[in-house]
Amino acid sequence: MSSNANETGSWGRAWTIARRDLRGRFVGLRLLIICLFLGVATLAAIGSLTSSITDELANRGQAILGGDLEVSIAQREATTEEIETLNQAGTLSQTLRMQAMARLPDGSDTQLVELKGVDAPYPLYGSFTLEDGSEAPALEADGIYVTPALMQRLSLEIGDQIDFGETSFTLMGVIGDEPDRLSEGLSLGPVAITSLDGLRQTGLIQPGSLFEGKYRLKLPAEIDPRELGDTLEQQYKNAAWEVKTRDNGAPSTRRFIERMGQFLTLVGLASLVIAGIGVGNGVASYLRGKQGAIATLKILGADSRMIFQIYLFQIFTVALIAISAGLIVGAFVPLLIIQVAGDVLPIQPEFALYPLPLVISAAYGLLIAMIFALPPLARAKMIPAAGLFRGETSSWKQFDRPTWIAVGTAILAIILLAVGGTREPLFSIWFIIAALGVLLLLSLLGMAIRWLASKAPRPRQPLMRLALTNLHRPGAQTGQLVVALGLGLTLFATLAAIQTSLTNEIRLSVPREAPSFFVLDIPVERTDEFTAKVVENSPEAEINIVPTLRGIITEYGGQVVSELDQIPEGAWVLRGDRGLTYSSSIPEGSEIVSGEWWPEDYDGPPLVSVDAEQAGALGLKVGDSLTISLLGVEIKSTVASLREVNWRNFGFNYVLVFPPSVLAGTPHNVAATIQIDESRENGLLGILPQAFPSISMVKVKEIASQIGTILDQMATAIGSAASIAIFSGIAVLIGAVAASRQARIYDSVILKLLGATRRQILSAQAIEYAILALLLSAVALGLGLLSGWFVITQIFEFTWQPDWLVVFLTLGVGAIVTLGIGLLGSIPVLSAKPARALREL
């Protein structure tokens, strides 16, 4: 009992002394506050925003999907038997969706539109509203609603006429909210909504037309949508159904948000680790400034344990304040983002506080503070009082086994927290290994530079000799400076490589030889007439016509898709229906890498040529089986060849290509690419939709614009997160400079007494920093490019195409900035008065 009481009293006395010593002032611990605040705020903001979006997707799952369960079917409507089955399960709503050309009655203007036909029960969940917020009345067959974008594009007003296919519609109102918009996927144009009867009257729904039927069910509370979905897939496994449930109404959006959130969280964690180095430097610098107080306490009877407790209280009190401030800011940053940039988010979430990401961020902050603050604390308690009064620093390099155990436990906790809280643990593990590898490499490089500086020949020039000596003299902060400078420059190089690669992805998304238009749903029997019409308008036009069908893979290599527990990584071809085509010759933009192409007059058993990348994801090889379901009919084929496909040529590229004998008899339309002079594009837009009402014309520039918008948003998100890491790196550099200030003041005073001028002292330090910056720039370039390459090619699966000039310039500017920060940190050293400094040494 007495021992416990003494221990409790020891902690109480330590807290009293720690509180009185702080007195509300945090001089010396500001770096710790800044570093922890930046790191925790970043993590909390990323986690809160990601949680708000994913929670909104989950909470609005029924409205986003349009039902509890959805069955989508490509290129056909459900049969009577299928509709009866769905009607027995719950309340059914049907929509049809396709791309179509909207035309003004006088033919003066056209616009590609996403045309949607809805039935009377639509929507089963949510509200379909007009621009004024009122519920949209049910439409007659000749009525239509359009989005504001189409109103503006065609200069429409309520009551105007607008043509689709063979039918003219009256504009009845402007769409305010289409509740299932997000689940519809990427749109290549404004939206127009009419009734199912109205859409069917256009004549655009024909065998082979590229349209999609969606059948949504509102289920009784006792029916589990997942179980029903599994049952329906088994019952209609040959019907090419794609089934979704309310908990995953927008799967591609959810995957993107979760993957982006995970990546940004790891970037935030990396910035917090970088900030941790600043915490360590700040604590070490703070404790060096307190060495007189520590010595006095020891002389007055305080033991090492008491010293440890006092400064543990101080540092972790300040750390908790910094972490709390970071959590508050991080929790409310999503509110600012939603208000300022809500329109660029895939869904506008409601603001709320999300405890889990805040708790995780706080845990990260505390663990990082423990990892980097405990070693200098442990060293401080072990220095004898006499050594403290003499200003000895050698003892500061030692700390005990319990500290190692505590630090190791905290590191393990961070790894478990980072890996356990993600759906892709392997990705997180590799990210952590890479981050630790960079820190280890820079630490070893700092040791190597210090060793080489000590062994290098002494230059004749005094300033150069002094700069070289500064790198390895006792008390030199070379290791910390190398880590700080290296991290800062690596971050500059990484960010430049990522940003310029994404920028080039946008700029090069439309190659010079890209076509001017994609034209869809050309009736196969009018192919020659279509070609003649294009040539009549533009004799120089380059036309490529390709058959288009859509089907779903139901089996590959003996594996039934419906029996998979999860889709293989990278096998996006299994996610729903995909475009198919047939060709007697190798398609343009493809190259055979395995197997052989079939003869032009082939008429044997079904064969198929598969994109090599998707074949790799599926584990397919030449000779394996592959079955597709096309318009409800299963076609089992043999893989004849694997192709490397150039997806960037903006032509018609397909994962699966069959011989004509396999698919030519199936009802289908054809598509075309047209390449003409830009001056003739508007003329062709006016002529073709009038002559061929069923077609849809897509401008390649419009696709590129949408791609560019998405990539711009990604670049902004990455840049924002990486900027925090750069600020943390700068804080680390400031901390490293501050940690070496006492030793540099001593050197400065001695040099001044020997006749050195401020300019000479500053020049020597400039040479020292320049040597480090020059050496580290090469290392940072390699590390930054490797990091950027991994992010671009492995995480986002884009092409690695950085702008080398920008990367080198950014690295150069970064080196100058870090050099300037180092020199600015030397100003207090130069201002030290010799007499005063000598009295305080």
Side-chain angles (χ1 to χ4, degrees):
M1 182 70 69
S2 176
S3 175
N4 290 337
N6 289 336
E7 185 175 339
T8 303
S10 171
W11 282 104
R13 289 191 298 272
W15 169 241
T16 300
I17 296 172
R19 189 180 68 250
R20 289 176 178 174
D21 189 33
L22 280 177
R23 296 180 184 274
R25 297 176 300 172
F26 305 125
V27 177
L29 291 174
R30 291 170 185 160
L31 182 63
L32 181 149
I33 295 173
I34 292 170
C35 289
L36 281 180
F37 170 78
L38 285 174
V40 171
T42 302
L43 280 175
I46 292 170
S48 296
L49 183 60
T50 303
S51 295
S52 67
I53 295 175
T54 53
D55 278 12
E56 188 72 8
L57 288 172
N59 294 337
R60 290 178 51 194
Q62 292 172 317
I64 289 171
L65 184 66
D68 295 305
L69 182 142
E70 175 192 275
V71 174
S72 59
I73 310 175
Q75 288 189 279
R76 71 176 181 90
E77 295 189 59
T79 64
T80 302
E81 178 192 348
E82 291 170 339
I83 289 178
E84 287 179 359
T85 300
L86 294 174
N87 267 320
Q88 291 172 4
T91 304
L92 179 65
S93 173
Q94 178 187 0
T95 65
L96 295 177
R97 173 175 172 257
M98 68 185 308
Q99 303 293 331
M101 296 300 293
R103 310 186 310 274
L104 294 181
D106 60 3
S108 60
D109 204 353
T110 60
Q111 173 63 40
L112 178 69
V113 167
E114 183 178 311
L115 182 60
K116 183 174 178 178
V118 301
D119 61 4
Y122 174 87
L124 296 175
Y125 291 100
S127 298
F128 176 34
T129 63
L130 299 180
E131 195 174 34
D132 60 5
S134 63
E135 291 279 344
L139 287 165
E140 300 295 333
D142 62 347
I144 197 166
Y145 297 126
V146 303
T147 56
L150 186 58
M151 294 279 290
Q152 182 178 4
R153 174 65 183 80
L154 296 181
S155 301
L156 297 171
E157 295 182 0
I158 304 298
D160 285 352
Q161 297 297 115
I162 182 171
D163 294 348
F164 286 93
E166 301 169 357
T167 303
S168 183
F169 294 90
T170 301
L171 179 55
M172 305 300 296
V174 181
I175 298 171
D177 181 35
E178 179 191 2
D180 56 341
R181 173 69 261 157
L182 191 61
S183 69
E184 298 286 17
L186 180 67
S187 172
L188 296 179
V191 176
I193 296 179
T194 185
S195 64
L196 278 179
D197 289 340
L199 179 56
R200 292 188 179 114
Q201 288 178 12
T202 63
L204 299 176
I205 304 296
Q206 298 289 338
S209 298
L210 294 177
F211 70 94
E212 184 177 30
K214 293 192 174 183
Y215 300 83
R216 279 78 174 258
L217 286 172
K218 185 175 185 179
L219 301 174
E222 64 272 13
I223 296 181
D224 185 338
R226 290 188 180 183
E227 291 182 2
L228 177 61
D230 292 340
T231 302
L232 291 174
E233 283 185 322
Q234 288 297 320
Q235 184 176 352
Y236 292 96
K237 61 182 179 181
N238 298 328
W241 282 12
E242 182 181 359
V243 179
K244 295 179 185 177
T245 56
R246 64 193 179 205
D247 59 349
N248 199 19
S252 59
T253 301
R254 180 181 290 273
R255 282 194 304 272
F256 175 78
I257 292 299
E258 288 178 347
R259 189 69 179 267
M260 194 71 177
Q262 179 188 354
F263 169 70
L264 293 178
T265 297
L266 290 172
V267 171
L269 180 57
S271 71
L272 189 56
V273 172
I274 293 168
I277 300 172
V279 169
N281 289 338
V283 170
S285 178
Y286 175 72
L287 292 176
R288 283 194 179 92
K290 289 287 185 178
Q291 62 186 25
I294 296 173
T296 302
L297 287 169
K298 286 195 171 188
I299 289 173
L300 294 175
D303 57 12
S304 295
R305 182 176 181 178
M306 175 68 73
I307 297 298
F308 181 80
Q309 292 171 351
I310 291 170
Y311 290 99
L312 180 70
F313 274 133
Q314 287 193 357
I315 289 165
F316 275 89
T317 298
V318 174
L320 286 173
I321 292 172
I323 290 170
S324 300
L327 292 176
I328 292 171
V329 171
F332 286 93
V333 161
L335 177 61
L336 178 63
I337 294 174
I338 292 169
Q339 295 296 324
V340 175
D343 291 342
V344 305
L345 298 174
I347 185 171
Q348 186 147 0
E350 296 292 332
F351 173 74
L353 294 178
Y354 296 90
L356 183 59
L358 298 181
V359 170
I360 291 175
S361 301
Y364 277 133
L366 284 171
L367 290 170
I368 288 293
M370 182 183 299
I371 290 169
F372 290 97
L374 284 182
L377 272 172
R379 289 193 292 265
K381 74 176 183 180
M382 298 175 67
I383 305 173
L388 285 166
F389 277 123
R390 290 195 299 269
E392 289 182 1
T393 58
S394 58
S395 300
W396 288 73
K397 298 178 181 178
Q398 306 168 4
F399 53 95
D400 50 13
R401 181 177 297 178
T403 302
W404 277 111
I405 295 173
V407 169
T409 303
I411 292 173
L412 181 61
I414 285 181
I415 293 173
L416 292 176
L417 196 59
V419 174
T422 177
R423 293 189 178 184
E424 299 181 42
L426 187 62
F427 171 74
S428 298
I429 289 171
W430 279 113
F431 190 97
I432 291 170
I433 289 174
L436 292 176
V438 170
L439 290 175
L440 179 61
L441 177 62
L442 291 173
S443 299
L444 293 175
L445 182 61
M447 296 170 59
I449 290 175
R450 189 165 182 168
W451 182 83
L452 289 172
S454 68
K455 301 301 181 183
R458 302 296 91 186
R460 292 184 178 181
Q461 296 84 357
L463 292 180
M464 183 65 73
R465 186 164 62 249
L466 181 60
L468 199 61
T469 303
N470 282 342
L471 293 174
H472 66 86
R473 59 175 172 74
Q477 297 292 310
T478 302
Q480 290 90 330
L481 286 171
V482 166
V483 172
L485 279 169
L487 287 172
L489 293 176
T490 299
L491 288 167
F492 276 118
T494 301
L495 186 57
I498 292 173
Q499 294 278 20
T500 57
S501 213
L502 287 175
T503 300
N504 284 332
E505 186 80 22
I506 298 169
R507 183 174 59 85
L508 300 176
S509 59
V510 183
R512 292 181 180 179
E513 65 274 12
S516 307
F517 293 103
F518 293 135
V519 186
L520 309 176
D521 282 334
I522 306 168
V524 65
E525 68 276 6
R526 299 185 67 186
T527 302
D528 293 339
E529 183 184 349
F530 175 84
T531 303
K533 198 72 173 177
V534 174
V535 172
E536 178 185 338
N537 176 263
S538 307
E540 79 290 351
E542 297 180 18
I543 309 170
N544 180 34
I545 295 182
V546 179
T548 59
L549 304 94
R550 295 192 73 82
I552 187 170
I553 297 176
T554 58
E555 175 271 335
Y556 63 92
Q559 174 65 60
V560 179
V561 175
S562 61
E563 296 176 356
L564 289 171
D565 292 330
Q566 62 180 12
I567 300 297
E569 179 69 23
W572 49 264
V573 71
L574 298 182
R575 300 186 187 279
D577 61 291
R578 295 295 164 188
L580 315 171
T581 192
Y582 59 83
S583 177
S584 59
S585 58
I586 301 174
E588 184 180 350
S590 293
E591 180 181 348
I592 300 293
V593 295
S594 180
E596 296 181 353
W597 196 259
W598 42 79
E600 288 194 10
D601 57 351
Y602 180 79
D603 192 21
L607 299 176
V608 64
S609 178
V610 185
D611 165 49
E613 182 181 350
Q614 285 301 294
L618 297 173
L620 279 176
K621 59 183 182 301
V622 173
D624 286 346
S625 64
L626 186 143
T627 304
I628 63 164
S629 179
L630 180 63
L631 299 178
V633 177
E634 285 205 340
I635 302 174
K636 187 169 185 177
S637 56
T638 302
V639 177
S641 64
L642 304 180
R643 293 168 294 116
E644 184 176 318
V645 180
N646 177 16
W647 296 100
R648 300 181 63 85
N649 67 355
F650 265 70
F652 284 114
N653 297 304
Y654 292 88
V655 173
L656 305 178
V657 180
F658 294 82
S661 59
V662 178
L663 300 182
T666 305
H668 66 282
N669 287 331
V670 298
T673 60
I674 304 174
Q675 188 169 0
I676 58 174
D677 186 83
E678 189 172 352
S679 62
R680 295 182 178 270
E681 289 182 0
N682 290 334
L684 207 59
L685 272 171
I687 294 172
L688 290 181
Q690 292 283 353
F692 302 89
S694 66
I695 68 170
S696 302
M697 297 182 68
V698 183
K699 265 191 174 183
V700 171
K701 288 180 180 177
E702 293 178 357
I703 299 177
S705 176
Q706 291 198 38
I707 295 173
T709 299
I710 294 171
L711 294 180
D712 273 337
Q713 293 170 5
M714 289 176 59
T716 300
I718 293 171
S720 300
S723 296
I724 300 298
I726 287 176
F727 288 138
S728 299
I730 291 173
V732 171
L733 178 60
I734 294 171
V737 172
S740 64
R741 184 173 299 165
Q742 192 66 27
R744 290 186 182 275
I745 288 175
Y746 177 85
D747 293 343
S748 173
V749 167
I750 298 300
L751 288 171
K752 283 182 179 180
L753 291 174
L754 294 175
T757 64
R758 288 189 176 188
R759 181 177 180 181
Q760 289 173 322
I761 296 172
L762 187 62
S763 298
Q765 293 186 14
I767 293 171
E768 176 190 352
Y769 286 122
I771 292 171
L772 290 177
L774 186 63
L775 292 172
L776 291 171
S777 291
V779 176
L781 179 63
L783 292 175
L785 292 177
L786 181 62
S787 303
W789 171 84
F790 181 81
V791 170
I792 291 294
T793 63
Q794 303 303 306
I795 296 179
F796 297 117
E797 298 180 354
F798 294 143
T799 305
W800 174 242
Q801 45 189 353
D803 187 321
W804 297 105
L805 178 60
V806 174
V807 171
F808 281 110
L809 285 175
T810 303
L811 189 60
V813 171
I816 293 171
V817 169
T818 52
L819 179 62
I821 291 171
L823 293 179
L824 286 173
S826 300
I827 292 177
V829 174
L830 299 176
S831 302
K833 303 297 183 182
R836 180 178 177 182
L838 288 172
R839 285 196 301 269
E840 294 177 352
L841 289 175

